[in-house]
């Protein structure tokens, strides 16, 4: 008799606003003090070129020069990169609890984040949360970003998994729609999401 049981799923997490929380008021204040600009608004220069930065199409000097509207000295650039990484380093305790549970069950857990290369390296160098994941994929290192279908195809191939055997958790509805279109099982993460309950569904 042929065994037709489905393999155990991969749980594929986004980072920002899923594993991490939003930057705090004090984080934006430090960044704004360093730049002299109000950056927290969704229409600010911080966000205008962020997708290109996340996808590795802009390096740090190019990105921050666009944010500030002028060239950035190396010392200032290092400070801006540190402040930016730090403001996305606050962990979501509810998600961490779920990751602890998944680790205790020896589940297959991976991360797919739209994150610039420098920030990814900053986290990989000393952030404890990376230990929850057996595979980590960052857009800045891959040169492509969600919701580009290529990044989902790449990760599925890397995980040796069919899309229907991957549960993708992300806070961005556009990313969720792109993954679902490719056959991934998806969970749109919001502040109201009971992730433990959602992951218990067959």
């Amino acid at each position: 008799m042929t065994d037709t049981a489905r393999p155990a799923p991969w749980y594929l997490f986004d980072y920002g606003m899923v594993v991490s929380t939003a930057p705090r008021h004090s984080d934006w204040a430090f960044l704004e003090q360093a730049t002299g600009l109000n950056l927290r608004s969704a229409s600010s220069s911080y966000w205008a070129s962020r997708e290109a930065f996340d996808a590795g199409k802009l390096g740090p000097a190019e990105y921050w020069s666009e944010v500030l509207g002028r060239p950035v000295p190396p010392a200032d650039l290092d400070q801006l990169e540190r402040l930016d990484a730090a403001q996305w380093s606050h962990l979501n305790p509810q998600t961490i609890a779920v990751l602890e549970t998944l680790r205790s069950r020896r589940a297959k857990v991976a991360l797919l984040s739209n994150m610039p290369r420098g920030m990814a390296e900053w986290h990989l160098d000393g952030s404890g949360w990376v230990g929850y994941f057996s595979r980590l994929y960052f857009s800045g290192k891959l040169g492509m970003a969600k919701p580009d279908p290529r990044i989902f195809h790449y990760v599925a191939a890397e995980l040796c998994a069919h899309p229907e055997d991957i549960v993708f958790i992300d806070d961005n509805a556009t990313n969720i729609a792109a993954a679902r279109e490719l056959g991934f099982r998806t969970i749109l993460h919001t502040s109201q999401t009971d992730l433990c309950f959602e992951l218990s569904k067959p």
Side-chain angles (χ1 to χ4, degrees):
M1 181 179 294
T2 302
D3 183 5
T4 58
R6 292 178 62 176
W10 275 96
Y11 298 100
L12 181 63
F13 285 74
D14 176 37
Y15 178 73
M17 305 299 293
V18 178
V19 177
S20 78
T21 61
R24 299 170 181 171
H25 176 81
S26 57
D27 295 315
W28 285 116
F30 284 131
L31 195 57
E32 290 166 356
Q33 183 179 16
T35 61
L37 299 171
N38 184 345
L39 298 177
R40 69 192 72 193
S41 166
S43 61
S44 78
S45 58
Y46 177 89
W47 297 108
S49 301
R50 194 70 187 194
E51 290 182 10
F53 188 34
D54 284 345
K57 296 177 182 177
L58 293 178
E62 296 169 295
Y63 169 72
W64 288 107
S65 292
E66 292 198 8
V67 171
L68 272 64
R70 58 175 172 78
V72 183
D76 292 350
L77 182 61
D78 289 343
Q79 180 192 27
L80 293 171
E81 286 284 275
R82 287 195 304 271
L83 290 172
D84 195 27
Q87 75 171 355
W88 292 103
S89 66
H90 309 298
L91 301 181
N92 183 329
Q94 287 77 30
T95 302
I96 296 302
V98 170
L99 289 170
E100 288 279 5
T101 299
L102 291 173
R103 180 160 63 181
S104 72
R105 296 175 181 172
R106 298 185 178 180
K108 298 184 290 186
V109 186
L111 180 119
L112 173 59
S113 174
N114 280 0
M115 185 182 293
R117 177 185 289 270
M119 187 183 295
E121 292 174 350
W122 188 88
H123 283 297
L124 289 171
D125 191 46
S127 297
W129 61 261
V130 301
Y132 290 110
F133 303 95
S134 58
R135 306 283 185 86
L136 298 110
Y137 304 98
F138 299 102
S139 60
K141 289 176 171 286
L142 297 177
M144 50 187 168
K146 298 173 291 184
D148 187 335
R150 294 179 302 157
I151 201 167
F152 293 108
H153 287 302
Y154 176 88
V155 169
E158 279 281 307
L159 298 178
C160 299
H162 296 293
E164 61 268 24
D165 295 321
I166 301 173
V167 181
F168 176 58
I169 304 105
D170 198 293
D171 70 298
N172 186 302
T174 302
N175 296 341
I176 287 290
R180 187 184 299 124
E181 181 71 20
L182 297 173
F184 286 64
R185 296 154 64 187
T186 60
I187 297 171
L188 178 62
H189 189 278
T190 72
S191 60
Q192 305 303 313
T193 300
D194 183 339
L195 191 53
C196 187
F197 172 76
E198 294 294 333
L199 293 180
S200 70
K201 293 181 180 178

